[in-house]
Amino acid sequence: MNITFFSSKLAKKTFLFLILAAFAPLVLIILVTYSQFSLMIDQHDHDQLKNVAKENALLIYGKLSFSRQLLAQIQPTESLDFQQSYLKLYFSALAEVQPEKRQLFWGHMDNRLLDQVLQVSDRQLLLRPDTDRSDIYLIVPSGMVAKVNPAYLWDETTTVLNSQPCILTNNYLPVHCPQHADIKPWLKKLQQAINEKQEIFFWHENDSTSMSYYWTLFMGHEFKVNNWIVIADKPISESLAVISQFRNIYFSVIALAILMVILLGSVLIRKNLDVITQLIQGTQRIKQRDFGHQIEVSGNDEFSQLASAFNSMSDSLHRSVREYTAFANIDRSILESVSGDRIIAAIFNSLYQIAPFHDLMMVNLTRQSSELNRLYYQKGSTQPILTGAEELEITSVLEQLPHDQLSYNLEINRDLEQLISLWQPTSKNICAIPVTRQDRLLAFIFATLTTAQPLETTITAQVLNFSQRTAVALYALEREAVFRHLARYDALTDIPNRVTLKHLFSTTLNTPGMFGAFLFIDLDRFKNINDTYGHLLGDSLLTKVAGRITTLLNKQETVARLSGDEFAVLVAGSIEQDVEKRVEDLCNGIINAINSPFHIDAHALHVGASIGVTLVPQHASDFPEALRCADTAMYASKKKGGNCFTFYTPEMSEYHVKRTILERHLRNAIGERNITLHYQPKVQSSNYAVSGFEALLRWNDPVYGPVSPFEVVTLAEEIGLITELGNLILELALEQWQHWIAQGYQPGSLAVNVSPLQLLSNEFTDVLTNVLRQNPLVPAKNLQLEITEGVMMHNVSQVLKTLADIRKLGIRIAIDDFGTGYSSLSYLIDIPADILKIDRSFVTKIASEEKPASLLGTVINLGHSLGYEIVAEGVETHQQADFLKLCQVEQLQGYLFSKALPVSEVEALYLKKSPAQSL
């Protein structure tokens, strides 16, 4: 048989499928049959062994029962001589045993046995172990004792199926086991089967496996002894022989079935493979772009229909491949980010493949990039020639041409004639191809035809499709130009961004012999304007700032927007002294320019500029270092009050390193509640008795040691942790008051300072409620929250609402640091407060100046008239205390009485005294 067709993968798969289709059901049937046959053989063996064990057990029991009945009928008389030949068939020894008499009639019985007979008067059967079996003795009440004849009891001719079962006692001693000289190989298996109540067990001996069945023979009723175990076994090989014979027959059937499938399948596959081979060859030719090959198949069946459809598909593919090849060339050029000139060249080359064009010209109307705004023309296969077309007024002419179809027989006017004169085509048969995208005209392609006839319909459709792909290419170039600009320039102000500035730094200031400076500019008060007037006005302000800075720069200087309200200026020069002089003049010019008011939407906006300057290469050699140093110098300008410039010095970096470490440690301290509070007592002016304490912040940094409270609060405000810090101080102070009250102390009132940001938080009232609930021993009226007048510079309505909610909880409000710069009578009237706390700046001038003392008295009288309780802080001398007492100030606080003390000293000095303790 010729099997060369098996080289085909399809033939192999079809052939394999046919084999599986025939083989799988057959194998399934065989497996099921084989399984059922094996189960039947196993069940047959089980039943056979069970019958053998049971029947042999009953047979032996019957022989023993008959022998016992026969022995019971024997009388010890002279007639025994006559019956001796008959009885010996059943008994190989016979004796009479009485306490006073022993007589042996025949056979052999030793005295030890006879003594044992007298001792077991309740038994009717005795066993005497031998090698492979035990001698069996029967006893009857008359005193007759007989040894059962083994030939009679174990006669193979009378056993079931001529088999010799193995019989054991219940303690596994052999009664009769002639076929097993050693029962050890299967004794454990037998014991395990009995324990698990399994009638069948398997065991191994001499590389062979046997199956055994045991039957329990009940001996107690008739013979007064324990039960016997009757065991029948059979080699597994006997069962396997039957199964092996069955398997050989079925394997022959399988082989015959497979052979038939092979023969029939080969004929069918070979018949249809020729047609498929031709289709494969045709497809391979198409793969090699040989579209001229046609498939020839005779007949009128499905294969001939497939061949006809294949030939039509080949023609269609030929046209599509030419079109998509042109598309692919353009797409490849776009993806490779090549120049616009190369993409135009790819467009021209692709048009030559699609249609019978000779000369081509493209007028590009996009205006986003000078690279795109060009006139391209090409003659034949020469390279495209580029020229500028800005001076030609042709846009209106092109707008009049159809944008959705090809145009022929163009009407040449003066402008179009001027355009064509640059092109100089070899033919007057010109076709105009519009290039549009989303109703926007991007370009026009003019092409000369070899004939005066318009293009065929199919080719026209391909050209229009290609014009759409050309529009995508031109739009991609346009967008790429926009993206390149956005990547290098700030989207809001249209000045260079950080990326461009970094590039200019490396290309300009890294040149040997060049000197320069990096100016970091941050606007002062811009955040207030942004929050007050909105981001739109803030964006307009940033744009105008960028414009003012730009007007101050020369060609060697660049301004860039870094982020938000941060700008940078790069200054370059070849003489170090000239650079420094220029930087000073430029900084002064920038500050003056930005200080001038900005008029936007009827608003006159005032901002300032804090500038940090880094000299290059004196202080920095690369962009990141220059940015960091200038930023550090800018913060130094901020610390001076802003609206100034500062040159970087190496000492400034130490401040920033310290600030970074303090910031990290403060975050950890707040998170771990590792903040300490000291308490400064407040006394009644009448008798100097302690009336309460003010909780004051203390923090020891693990590296820098004690940090001033002012520095801690300022740092927390800058890094956005002031609310968390203020809430933590409140929690720690109330927990300490709860502890003291629980210990029986009476610490009095507790004053805690509150940040304006805490009051502006919507959750602050809930925080107070929770902390009071967690410390129930502290009365709400004993808690005083100290706020500054500056809180009214924020969201007044929100602050007043929060203060009103706090007073509803029973907490008292104190206005702290009154008279430090934001004092206003309207605030004193509007703020729902209970206590007015005079700032130390008034108190320290009581003795030295008359006006402050007079003014202080007026403020105290005003506070009393408004219902405030007055507290004066910063009291350091008795003269100050006497004056304040004379002005009827209710409470005094200051170093004259005590500084702020840790908890242990407060307990030792004050809390152990009586409630009326005095200083």
Side-chain angles (χ1 to χ4, degrees):
M1 180 179 62
N2 185 5
I3 58 173
T4 56
F5 63 88
F6 277 115
S7 60
S8 169
K9 294 183 179 180
L10 177 61
K12 293 178 182 178
K13 292 181 179 179
T14 305
F15 184 77
L16 180 60
F17 176 77
L18 292 175
I19 293 294
L20 292 176
F23 184 70
L26 183 61
V27 170
L28 181 61
I29 294 173
I30 292 175
L31 291 176
V32 173
T33 305
Y34 182 80
S35 176
Q36 293 298 321
F37 183 77
S38 299
L39 292 176
M40 291 173 58
I41 293 298
D42 291 342
Q43 188 62 41
H44 175 267
D45 292 342
H46 294 173
D47 295 342
Q48 184 184 42
L49 288 176
K50 179 179 180 180
N51 292 333
V52 169
K54 179 179 180 181
E55 295 299 329
N56 280 320
L58 296 177
L59 180 61
I60 293 171
Y61 187 87
K63 288 182 179 182
L64 289 175
S65 178
F66 173 78
S67 300
R68 190 189 66 79
Q69 294 176 7
L70 181 62
L71 181 61
Q73 296 176 4
I74 296 176
Q75 300 294 330
T77 60
E78 295 299 331
S79 61
L80 284 177
D81 294 336
F82 174 76
Q83 300 176 356
Q84 182 174 0
S85 58
Y86 168 72
L87 294 176
K88 283 184 177 181
L89 295 175
Y90 303 99
F91 308 116
S92 58
L94 180 67
E96 180 184 7
V97 180
Q98 301 290 345
E100 67 282 356
K101 176 184 177 181
R102 298 181 181 181
Q103 181 179 356
L104 179 66
F105 297 102
W106 68 77
H108 174 73
M109 294 185 187
D110 54 26
N111 290 329
R112 183 178 178 184
L113 173 65
L114 298 178
D115 292 340
Q116 188 177 2
V117 169
L118 291 176
Q119 296 174 0
V120 292
S121 58
D122 58 333
R123 294 187 184 179
Q124 299 186 16
L125 187 146
L126 282 177
L127 292 178
R128 293 294 298 276
D130 205 342
T131 56
D132 61 345
R133 65 187 181 187
S134 299
D135 293 333
I136 301 175
Y137 295 88
L138 297 176
I139 307 170
V140 295
S142 63
M144 297 300 294
V145 179
K147 177 181 180 183
V148 180
N149 189 353
Y152 159 70
L153 186 60
W154 313 117
D155 185 7
E156 294 184 2
T157 60
T158 60
T159 58
V160 179
L161 298 179
N162 296 327
S163 62
Q164 284 290 332
C166 185
I167 302 175
L168 305 177
T169 63
N170 67 328
N171 54 358
Y172 307 109
L173 295 176
V175 176
H176 178 72
C177 200
Q179 72 273 37
H180 297 292
D182 186 9
I183 66 174
K184 292 181 180 179
W186 51 267
L187 184 57
K188 289 185 178 180
K189 295 290 185 179
L190 171 63
Q191 294 173 349
Q192 182 179 355
I194 293 175
N195 292 335
E196 297 177 358
K197 297 182 179 180
Q198 297 179 356
E199 297 177 337
I200 297 293
F201 65 93
F202 298 86
W203 52 279
H204 304 277
E205 183 179 17
N206 298 328
D207 299 331
S208 64
T209 303
S210 297
M211 177 174 60
S212 299
Y213 182 93
Y214 73 90
W215 177 272
T216 302
L217 182 59
F218 297 95
M219 303 289 290
H221 177 71
E222 185 170 353
F223 299 100
K224 309 301 180 182
V225 295
N226 294 329
N227 298 333
W228 288 359
I229 302 173
V230 181
I231 304 165
D233 55 48
K234 179 181 180 180
I236 294 296
S237 58
E238 296 180 8
S239 301
L240 295 179
V242 178
I243 297 176
S244 177
Q245 184 179 5
F246 171 79
R247 184 171 60 246
N248 294 336
I249 294 173
Y250 267 73
F251 282 163
S252 300
V253 174
I254 293 174
L256 181 60
I258 292 176
L259 182 59
M260 293 180 64
V261 171
I262 292 174
L263 293 175
L264 296 177
S266 300
V267 174
L268 179 62
I269 293 171
R270 186 175 181 182
K271 181 179 180 180
N272 297 321
L273 188 61
D274 291 340
V275 178
I276 297 176
T277 301
Q278 292 188 49
L279 291 173
I280 293 174
Q281 292 174 353
T283 305
Q284 291 175 344
R285 287 191 176 94
I286 290 178
K287 179 181 178 181
Q288 298 171 1
R289 298 198 174 187
D290 180 8
F291 297 97
H293 180 74
Q294 297 291 310
I295 303 298
E296 297 182 1
V297 179
S298 60
N300 193 26
D301 55 8
E302 287 80 0
F303 283 105
S304 63
Q305 297 175 9
L306 177 62
S308 178
F310 180 85
N311 292 333
S312 300
M313 180 191 69
S314 177
D315 294 337
S316 178
L317 282 176
H318 190 194
R319 292 190 299 268
S320 299
V321 164
R322 289 185 302 179
E323 181 179 358
Y324 288 116
T325 300
F327 292 168
N329 292 334
I330 297 176
D331 293 341
R332 187 182 304 110
S333 300
I334 295 175
L335 293 175
E336 292 176 355
S337 299
V338 300
S339 66
D341 300 342
R342 291 181 58 184
I343 290 180
I344 300 302
I347 292 173
F348 281 4
N349 293 333
S350 300
L351 276 173
Y352 284 127
Q353 298 177 16
I354 295 175
F357 295 139
H358 188 268
D359 301 332
L360 294 172
M361 178 179 65
M362 175 187 288
V363 181
N364 195 335
L365 302 179
T366 56
R367 300 290 178 180
Q368 294 294 334
S369 171
S370 60
E371 179 182 317
L372 303 179
N373 190 14
R374 292 185 179 183
L375 173 66
Y376 301 81
Y377 59 91
Q378 179 173 339
K379 294 182 179 182
S381 60
T382 61
Q383 291 296 322
I385 300 174
L386 314 177
T387 183
E390 291 82 353
E391 298 179 355
L392 299 178
E393 297 295 336
I394 60 174
T395 303
S396 59
V397 176
L398 298 180
E399 289 288 349
Q400 295 175 4
L401 296 176
H403 295 175
D404 57 353
Q405 63 183 15
L406 305 185
S407 301
Y408 300 95
N409 301 321
L410 300 180
E411 182 177 339
I412 308 299
N413 57 16
R414 185 178 61 83
D415 294 329
L416 194 56
E417 177 66 30
Q418 187 179 2
L419 179 64
I420 294 177
S421 64
L422 294 173
W423 179 24
Q424 297 180 352
T426 58
S427 173
K428 294 183 179 181
N429 299 322
I430 300 176
C431 170
I433 306 170
V435 179
T436 61
R437 185 179 187 275
Q438 296 179 353
D439 298 330
R440 178 191 170 196
L441 183 63
L442 300 180
F444 250 105
I445 299 176
F446 297 91
T448 60
L449 302 174
T450 56
T451 65
Q453 298 297 324
L455 297 174
E456 297 178 1
T457 303
T458 56
I459 297 179
T460 299
Q462 288 182 333
V463 171
L464 289 176
N465 288 337
F466 184 79
S467 71
Q468 295 177 3
R469 185 58 60 94
T470 301
V472 173
L474 295 180
Y475 182 76
L477 287 174
E478 185 180 59
R479 296 296 296 169
E480 183 180 356
V482 173
F483 290 150
R484 282 199 301 267
H485 183 81
L486 291 177
R488 297 193 295 261
Y489 288 83
D490 179 56
L492 176 64
T493 61
D494 202 35
I495 62 176
N497 58 13
R498 182 190 295 258
V499 176
T500 304
L501 190 68
K502 182 179 181 180
H503 175 73
L504 291 174
F505 185 97
S506 60
T507 57
T508 303
L509 296 186
N510 283 350
T511 304
M514 289 296 293
F515 296 91
F518 190 97
L519 280 62
F520 193 106
I521 306 169
D522 185 87
L523 300 183
D524 301 331
R525 301 182 298 279
F526 175 77
K527 185 177 184 302
N528 293 335
I529 294 176
N530 216 26
D531 294 341
T532 303
Y533 298 104
H535 293 281
L536 291 178
L537 189 141
D539 291 344
S540 299
L541 176 60
L542 292 175
T543 303
K544 289 184 176 295
V545 168
R548 289 188 182 183
I549 296 176
T550 302
T551 58
L552 300 173
L553 306 181
N554 56 38
K555 294 183 179 180
Q556 290 184 318
E557 297 164 353
T558 304
V559 61
R561 183 180 177 216
L562 300 178
S563 64
D565 61 342
E566 296 176 345
F567 296 84
V569 174
L570 199 62
V571 179
S574 57
I575 302 176
E576 181 178 358
Q577 292 76 11
D578 292 347
V579 170
E580 295 182 8
K581 178 67 168 60
R582 171 58 182 164
V583 167
E584 293 181 1
D585 295 340
L586 183 58
C587 288
N588 287 322
I590 292 174
I591 292 173
N592 293 331
I594 294 178
N595 281 339
S596 299
F598 292 86
H599 298 280
I600 304 175
D601 295 342
H603 299 288
L605 307 178
H606 296 269
V607 292
S610 295
I611 305 177
V613 181
T614 301
L615 296 178
V616 181
Q618 294 92 320
H619 298 147
S621 58
D622 55 25
F623 180 80
E625 187 178 6
L627 180 62
R628 179 183 60 80
C629 294
D631 183 41
T632 301
M634 185 275 295
Y635 273 105
S637 297
K638 289 281 188 183
K639 291 187 67 177
K640 296 177 183 178
N643 209 35
C644 63
F645 67 93
T646 303
F647 281 88
Y648 170 80
T649 60
E651 291 77 11
M652 294 179 182
S653 293
E654 298 179 3
Y655 164 77
H656 272 274
V657 171
K658 178 181 179 181
R659 186 181 184 278
T660 302
I661 295 175
L662 288 177
E663 176 182 340
R664 184 173 69 252
H665 290 174
L666 181 58
R667 290 182 184 275
N668 295 336
I670 294 175
E672 299 170 0
R673 293 169 60 90
N674 192 17
I675 297 293
T676 304
L677 296 183
H678 285 192
Y679 299 93
Q680 187 176 28
K682 294 187 295 183
V683 302
Q684 298 176 5
S685 61
S686 59
N687 56 4
Y688 294 165
V690 175
S691 58
F693 297 85
E694 179 181 0
L696 297 173
L697 169 67
R698 295 294 184 269
W699 179 50
N700 283 332
D701 181 79
V703 174
Y704 296 102
V707 183
S708 70
F710 174 79
E711 189 175 356
V712 174
V713 172
T714 302
L715 180 61
E717 289 177 344
E718 292 177 355
I719 64 178
L721 291 179
I722 188 62
T723 299
E724 289 80 358
L725 177 61
N727 292 343
L728 176 60
I729 293 173
L730 187 65
E731 293 173 5
L732 294 175
L734 281 173
E735 289 172 3
Q736 184 61 57
W737 244 243
Q738 170 85 2
H739 173 72
W740 279 339
I741 295 174
Q743 297 296 319
Y745 299 139
Q746 297 181 13
S749 63
L750 168 63
V752 180
N753 291 279
V754 176
S755 166
L757 291 179
Q758 287 177 272
L759 293 176
L760 292 173
S761 173
N762 295 328
E763 295 82 16
F764 185 59
T765 305
D766 295 334
V767 171
L768 289 172
T769 303
N770 292 333
V771 75
L772 287 173
R773 185 183 301 114
Q774 294 169 3
N775 301 279
L777 297 181
V778 182
K781 65 180 181 180
N782 283 12
L783 177 60
Q784 300 174 5
L785 298 184
E786 296 189 357
I787 64 173
T788 61
E789 301 165 272
V791 73
M792 299 302 292
M793 299 299 293
H794 299 274
N795 190 333
V796 177
S797 60
Q798 174 68 26
V799 171
L800 292 177
K801 180 181 180 303
T802 302
L803 293 176
D805 293 339
I806 292 173
R807 295 191 73 192
K808 290 179 182 179
L809 297 176
I811 301 173
R812 305 182 74 196
I813 305 297
I815 301 176
D816 193 15
D817 299 336
F818 183 77
T820 56
Y822 295 103
S823 301
S824 172
L825 293 179
S826 62
Y827 292 159
L828 290 180
I829 297 173
D830 293 337
I831 296 178
D834 305 281
I835 302 169
L836 186 64
K837 200 167 184 180
I838 306 299
D839 185 66
R840 67 177 63 247
S841 61
F842 280 95
V843 176
T844 55
K845 298 178 181 180
I846 289 176
S848 59
E849 300 180 30
E850 181 178 351
K851 283 186 178 181
S854 176
L855 179 60
L856 179 58
T858 303
V859 170
I860 294 173
N861 292 332
L862 177 62
H864 283 149
S865 65
L866 294 175
Y868 286 110
E869 179 183 341
I870 308 300
V871 178
E873 61 180 348
V875 181
E876 298 180 356
T877 66
H878 287 285
Q879 184 179 4
Q880 294 169 353
D882 293 339
F883 178 83
L884 294 169
K885 183 177 181 181
L886 183 63
C887 292
Q888 298 182 350
V889 172
E890 284 83 358
Q891 297 186 59
L892 305 177
Q893 179 182 349
Y895 278 13
L896 176 62
F897 309 104
S898 175
K899 65 178 181 179
L901 301 174
V903 171
S904 58
E905 295 186 25
V906 171
E907 292 177 350
L909 295 176
Y910 304 117
L911 297 187
K912 291 185 178 180
K913 298 181 180 181
S914 63
Q917 73 267 37
S918 95
L919 295 171

